Amino acid sequence: MPHQQPKIILGIETSCDETSAAVLQMANNGVQILSNIVASSQDLQAKYGGVVPEQAAREQLASIIPVIKEALSEAFPLHPKPSALVDAIAVTQGPGLIGSLLVGVESAKVLAKVWDKALVPVNHLLGHFYANWITDSQSSIVNSLWKKPEEENYKLSTINHPPSFPILGLLVSGGHTDLILMTDHGKYQYLGGTRDDAAGEAFDKGARLLGLPYPGGPQIAKLAETGNPNTFKLPRPMIDSDNLDFSFSGLKTSISNMVYGISEKIDNEASSSLRDKQLTINEKQDLAASIQEAIVDVLVAKTIRAGQTYGVRHIMLAGGVAANRKLAERLTEVARMKIPHVEIHIPLVNLCTDNAAYIAAAAFFNYHPTDPLKLQANPNLSLSR
Ligand code: KG4
Ligand code: ZN
């Protein structure tokens, strides 16, 4: 049965430690968010310094139904049966933690069957990029049930319309660092990616060495604001390599050596105990600034080189690390010098990290419904080389 293009999609995202459901509708210029609910078990993960898969899956199970219900009732507050207004359900198929993915995929399958809706599987990595198609001003009102009230939502780029093909895309998240050349919806060429740790992972591991809680990216960014990036010199791995690959695992060793070096000095001078506790606030600020600078330098250099090589007019960022202000500023600045006229697209910060809005957005432009009884979660999906 041929499926009609949907007008309203319910998105579901449960690939890691966020449980999210969103309702989006097609608008004139991009897509519009009617609701976007994100329940995060990050506070819990912070206690353990990272994501514990079994625990993340258990939290997903506890949150999935209330989150879907909330997304529907927030999108259509006056309607007695909001599910009737939804044309299709989009769900993250992978990659991610299998226990977490299963919660979203199985819930979406049941709902698609019971409500008789089309079911659209979405690759989480490709999905991240579609935050760049959510440009409607309504989207600044991103509702977030369990997010802390002080968390702001703002835009790091001045561009307020979707990118045009061909687009160079840089995905920088906790598990991925990938450069792709997108020539149409769903059509892309893989240009390069990390050979070991992802950019977000480098932020998280660096933060851990400084004794900062998980997730480390925002913590490093905050401390770096008042730090000097030149006090400690960290390497820029693979910055000059003649390919578009990255490597961030060596950075962790360098940071570790640096923290160890400082602590050793203090140990000798003051003979106190825990190393990370011995760093002064100034040293932590300077180290944070150096870590951020090293990661940003490499990401910007490779992205600009790819932009020059492929002659694109549009570059888009996606993933949690795209919420980093320094990355946005530096990329914009270097692009202005080296590839003038290029437009840098960066999603609203709340849309950079994991949420269901971009999953639904991706489904509008890659509308390939599947049989709900046959869909399987796939933890190993990739953007493939
Ligand atoms: O995309 P995301 O929410 O989840 C994955 O799919 O991995 O990305 C999470 C990652 C974490 O590593 C986190 O530390 C990083 O994004 N992150 C940041 C910032 N906000 C989140 N890294 C640097 N600066 C930020 N402001
Ligand atoms: Zn993600």
Side-chain angles (χ1 to χ4, degrees):
M1 182 181 71
H3 291 276
Q4 277 190 335
Q5 259 318 104
K7 289 194 183 63
I8 293 180
I9 294 186
L10 165 69
I12 297 173
E13 150 65 35
T14 66
S15 63
C16 189
D17 57 350
E18 330 254 26
T19 314
S20 181
V23 178
L24 274 81
Q25 81 179 3
M26 194 44 111
N28 291 335
N29 179 26
V31 287
Q32 186 183 346
I33 297 181
L34 300 182
S35 66
N36 186 21
I37 306 297
V38 184
S40 174
S41 59
Q42 258 175 21
D43 287 352
L44 203 63
Q45 319 299 346
K47 273 196 211 156
Y48 300 93
V51 179
V52 180
E54 288 78 6
Q55 202 170 44
R58 214 172 301 139
E59 292 296 314
Q60 294 284 3
L61 262 183
S63 305
I64 189 74
I65 298 299
V67 164
I68 292 174
K69 268 187 158 168
E70 185 69 24
L72 286 169
S73 62
E74 202 160 288
F76 309 112
L78 300 175
H79 202 279
K81 203 178 163 214
S83 62
L85 303 180
V86 168
D87 299 312
I89 298 172
V91 66
T92 298
Q93 182 183 12
L97 302 171
I98 185 63
S100 293
L101 284 170
L102 277 171
V103 174
V105 168
E106 295 306 314
S107 306
K109 283 160 73 172
V110 170
L111 293 178
K113 209 68 200 146
V114 174
W115 291 342
D116 192 24
K117 309 285 181 195
L119 180 64
V120 186
V122 175
N123 177 328
H124 176 87
L125 306 177
L126 197 62
H128 261 296
F129 287 115
Y130 279 86
N132 288 289
W133 272 263
I134 306 172
T135 52
D136 192 276
S137 58
Q138 283 288 326
S139 303
S140 56
I141 316 160
V142 176
N143 306 299
S144 210
L145 243 198
W146 287 273
K147 280 224 160 130
K148 297 172 206 96
E150 69 268 20
E151 276 183 6
E152 308 168 73
N153 193 21
Y154 49 87
K155 207 156 172 41
L156 289 170
S157 106
T158 51
I159 310 286
N160 219 6
H161 54 90
S164 308
F165 299 111
I167 310 160
L168 176 71
L170 172 68
L171 171 64
V172 269
S173 69
H176 294 266
T177 304
D178 294 310
L179 269 170
I180 63 167
L181 181 68
M182 219 169 151
T183 50
D184 202 346
H185 292 297
K187 288 208 180 104
Y188 60 87
Q189 182 188 340
Y190 185 86
L191 303 179
T194 186
R195 294 183 175 181
D196 39 58
D197 287 357
E201 211 171 345
F203 271 105
D204 294 340
K205 287 181 176 173
R208 199 170 181 171
L209 287 166
L210 297 190
L212 302 169
Y214 173 88
Q219 305 277 341
I220 295 259
K222 184 99 198 76
L223 265 186
E225 281 171 17
T226 38
N228 178 352
N230 301 315
T231 312
F232 302 103
K233 201 78 194 140
L234 287 168
R236 271 58 175 161
M238 290 184 80
I239 197 163
D240 292 319
S241 66
D242 59 358
N243 53 38
L244 295 171
D245 283 346
F246 302 86
S247 166
F248 289 108
S249 67
L251 214 48
K252 186 188 154 200
T253 315
S254 305
I255 301 164
S256 167
N257 288 342
M258 227 155 240
V259 172
Y260 186 78
I262 299 165
S263 310
E264 282 265 287
K265 208 171 107 234
I266 299 164
D267 261 351
N268 293 337
E269 284 166 5
S271 70
S272 38
S273 56
L274 280 171
R275 277 195 188 106
D276 58 359
K277 294 268 168 23
Q278 294 163 355
L279 297 175
T280 66
I281 181 67
N282 281 343
E283 283 164 342
K284 281 193 180 186
Q285 287 163 340
D286 290 349
L287 269 170
S290 305
I291 294 167
Q292 178 172 264
E293 195 84 355
I295 298 169
V296 165
D297 272 357
V298 179
L299 292 175
V300 169
K302 290 272 160 120
T303 305
I304 295 292
R305 195 174 319 146
Q308 290 171 316
T309 308
Y310 292 93
V312 295
R313 306 275 307 255
H314 295 258
I315 294 178
M316 63 180 169
L317 298 189
V321 182
N324 187 276
R325 192 178 286 277
K326 188 54 123 202
L327 174 61
E329 284 170 1
R330 183 70 54 76
L331 185 62
T332 310
E333 197 180 291
V334 180
R336 202 175 292 139
M337 284 188 301
K338 300 204 168 169
I339 22 179
H341 312 304
V342 81
E343 284 186 1
I344 309 285
H345 298 255
I346 305 170
L348 281 156
V349 287
N350 275 1
L351 297 179
C352 290
T353 45
D354 288 348
N355 69 89
Y358 63 69
I359 297 300
F364 276 110
F365 298 102
N366 300 272
Y367 193 63
H368 308 297
T370 193
D371 181 348
L373 294 180
K374 296 208 176 120
L375 182 63
Q376 300 283 338
N378 181 353
N380 301 319
L381 271 187
S382 70
L383 287 172
S384 75
R385 279 180 189 258

